[in-house]
Amino acid sequence: MKTTSLLVAAGVCLAGAALAGPPAPSDVVYEDGAVAMSLTGVPGDPENGRSIMNKGAGNCIACHEVTALADLPFHGEIGPMLDGAADRWTEAELRGIVANAKVMFPESMMPSFYRTDGYIRPGDAYTGKAAPTPLEPLLTAQEIEDVVAFLMTLKEE
Amino acid sequence: MKKAYAPGLGTATALAAVLALTGPALGDPDDDALVINGETEIITEAPAPEHMEYIDTIYSGWRFRTDETQALELDDFDNPAMLAVDAAIDMFGTVEGAAGESCASCHDDPESFAGLAAHMPKVDEDGKLVVMEDLINECRTDRMQADEWKWNSLDMQSMVALIGLQSRGMPVDVAIDGPAAPYWEQGKEMYYTRYGKLELSCANCHEDNWGNMIRADHLSQGQITGFPVYRLKQATLISRHNRFKGCIRDTQAETFKEGSDEFRALELYVASRGNGLSVETPAVRQ
């Protein structure tokens, strides 16, 4: 599975992060689409993750149905239903999928929530105007951790 | 048939796709037929034009709307866009500008434009791609010596609707070859470009996912055969370019402007994806 050199790279990265804050999106290390190390070292808050799933920059249920969020109206059907996601994927895989799904699923329609380069005409949220530079990722490192913590509660087994 | 998801299916996704295929087809267009005023039959379903690689059958956006919204198009007395069309009929005969002319001075009747909208956009004699708004403004400025109308103004979109109405029921047949070819290629390129921080192309939503729900919205194929449309949400007539702008803005992108050459090219390409459907102007949407 994971090669030693990558583990070391991730470790070095996180050691830096502890001092200098979360890794820049371009410094996050993916292995087979997964990200082993927490982006912040601070445990995610599943309650906040839950609200990110609903609205704002996350809005995951625009594309996904989640039974645990059945109290919220209108779930989309673009992506697979997320029930049991934590049975299908490890925490590291979920972190990788949320941070940049296009590593795990090349060409995926799912947005990359922790990435800041390679965009065509990036805008300033929903204003239609050009985004200010440097670009901010769609979600902060801690918000990624919060969403992952929520996804880890989606168990059926 | 259509692809359920973007490429890159994981096992879980493949499973979900199978479930989606065997489940009830909630998302598909309904089977209703559109006959306006009991007489004008609208083609809302047709074989896709040859140039479309990923879709077999094209559908009017009307087929994806709720029964309540659909009903507003069945009779012109119920269609809220008709108020604007009536206003445009009055404007057609109103003298404006230094030349002392009205549209009617030269065109005597809006009916003389029957068929025009089915072939728009088109390339003019100078080799420039033009849309209906361009033709109208050219007459206003060059021939009437009046001020040009702003793209999204109610005056402009009402007149575009009045002229479009003259072709209602006729099959769209937009030329994409000859001098139109480079514009068409440019529009196609835009259609498949994943703009913005959400990196979504027109095709992601309207080609790969038509019939599916995205949050509260039932995705259609993004046809423009009904434009200008009366949008209930905005309670007014909406131009094609304004709709494009809204869709691109929603991908968290820097949009293009109404009346930009980019949107002219995109309009040609999107119009050509409707070749075979009827002109439905003025349609009503949610």
Side-chain angles (χ1 to χ4, degrees):
Chain A
M1 280 207 66
K2 301 176 184 77
T3 66
T4 325
S5 66
L6 273 166
L7 263 184
V8 170
V12 167
C13 196
L14 196 82
L19 297 173
S26 54
D27 292 336
V28 176
V29 177
Y30 290 82
E31 201 202 337
D32 297 332
V35 175
M37 302 300 245
S38 163
L39 297 178
T40 59
V42 178
D45 169 8
E47 266 311 303
N48 192 43
R50 187 181 207 278
S51 60
I52 294 168
M53 298 285 297
N54 175 33
K55 55 180 192 288
N59 199 9
C60 317
I61 61 173
C63 292
H64 294 284
E65 193 183 341
V66 190
T67 305
L69 300 175
D71 56 314
L72 303 168
F74 307 125
H75 297 205
E77 45 190 18
I78 308 282
M81 187 190 227
L82 295 184
D83 290 10
D87 302 323
R88 290 190 292 278
W89 306 99
T90 65
E91 184 185 301
E93 286 168 335
L94 289 173
R95 184 178 292 110
I97 292 172
V98 180
N100 185 0
K102 287 165 187 102
V103 183
M104 183 78 81
F105 314 113
E107 309 285 306
S108 179
M109 187 166 156
M110 178 155 156
S112 302
F113 289 95
Y114 199 64
R115 215 187 83 213
T116 48
D117 55 4
Y119 293 106
I120 300 167
R121 297 178 73 90
D124 187 3
Y126 295 99
T127 62
K129 300 198 168 68
T133 48
L135 287 188
E136 295 291 331
L138 289 167
L139 295 177
T140 65
Q142 191 57 46
E143 286 171 330
I144 300 284
E145 293 303 325
D146 294 350
V147 169
V148 170
F150 173 77
L151 293 175
M152 286 305 291
T153 68
L154 301 178
K155 288 198 166 80
E156 288 176 319
E157 284 160 19
Chain B
M1 266 293 301
K2 72 177 160 148
K3 295 177 280 166
Y5 304 116
L9 294 174
T11 335
T13 322
L15 185 69
V18 169
L19 290 176
L21 284 178
T22 51
L26 286 176
D28 287 344
D30 68 15
D31 293 328
D32 295 346
L34 177 53
V35 180
I36 297 173
N37 303 332
E39 56 182 30
T40 308
E41 225 171 281
I42 301 292
I43 307 164
T44 61
E45 175 173 349
E50 232 165 72
H51 68 78
M52 285 169 69
E53 291 170 65
Y54 306 108
I55 286 185
D56 297 332
T57 308
I58 52 175
Y59 298 95
S60 156
W62 184 83
R63 294 278 294 276
F64 297 84
R65 307 285 52 104
T66 62
D67 288 347
E68 295 79 39
T69 305
Q70 286 185 336
L72 295 172
E73 240 181 275
L74 294 178
D75 192 311
D76 283 343
F77 282 109
D78 299 324
N79 185 331
M82 284 301 163
L83 278 178
V85 168
D86 287 343
I89 292 173
D90 289 341
M91 283 190 291
F92 203 85
T94 305
V95 172
E96 258 197 83
E101 316 255 23
S102 73
C103 314
S105 325
C106 303
H107 295 291
D108 51 75
D109 197 296
E111 273 174 42
S112 64
F113 294 118
L116 177 62
H119 303 283
M120 291 300 291
K122 65 179 179 182
V123 177
D124 72 7
E125 284 148 15
D126 307 325
K128 200 177 166 334
L129 182 69
V130 290
V131 300
M132 194 67 84
E133 285 88 342
D134 296 317
L135 298 177
I136 293 171
N137 261 343
E138 190 184 316
C139 282
R140 283 192 55 88
T141 55
D142 298 5
R143 301 194 172 104
M144 296 167 70
Q145 293 167 41
D147 290 338
E148 67 171 26
W149 275 328
K150 290 214 165 66
W151 207 271
N152 285 331
S153 65
L154 188 57
D155 285 348
M156 174 59 95
Q157 291 309 318
S158 303
M159 190 59 77
V160 175
L162 173 63
I163 296 175
L165 175 63
Q166 310 311 315
S167 304
R168 191 165 68 181
M170 297 180 191
V172 174
D173 184 13
V174 170
I176 63 173
D177 51 0
Y183 297 109
W184 186 81
E185 289 294 345
Q186 183 191 351
K188 181 176 181 183
E189 167 96 29
M190 288 178 71
Y191 196 86
Y192 288 96
T193 298
R194 299 186 62 168
Y195 290 113
K197 285 176 90 174
L198 299 184
E199 299 184 295
L200 296 171
S201 67
C202 315
N204 281 140
C205 286
H206 294 299
E207 179 162 280
D208 301 338
N209 280 289
W210 61 270
N212 286 334
M213 297 298 291
I214 185 160
R215 199 81 208 229
D217 290 312
H218 190 195
L219 280 168
S220 71
Q221 292 179 346
Q223 294 286 356
I224 51 174
T225 46
F227 277 76
V229 302
Y230 187 91
R231 275 196 85 185
L232 299 167
K233 210 188 268 178
Q234 281 153 285
T236 191
L237 276 183
I238 297 299
S239 70
R240 295 169 179 88
H241 290 193
N242 185 252
R243 184 77 227 205
F244 296 167
K245 192 174 158 183
C247 278
I248 294 190
R249 186 198 54 219
D250 286 350
T251 67
Q252 296 203 28
E254 178 187 3
T255 59
F256 302 91
K257 287 195 177 62
E258 290 100 343
S260 61
D261 284 341
E262 287 88 353
F263 275 170
R264 284 189 181 85
L266 184 61
E267 179 176 336
L268 172 64
Y269 178 70
V270 177
S272 79
R273 295 174 66 98
N275 275 351
L277 296 175
S278 290
V279 174
E280 195 184 313
T281 310
V284 184
R285 300 288 185 257
Q286 76 291 3

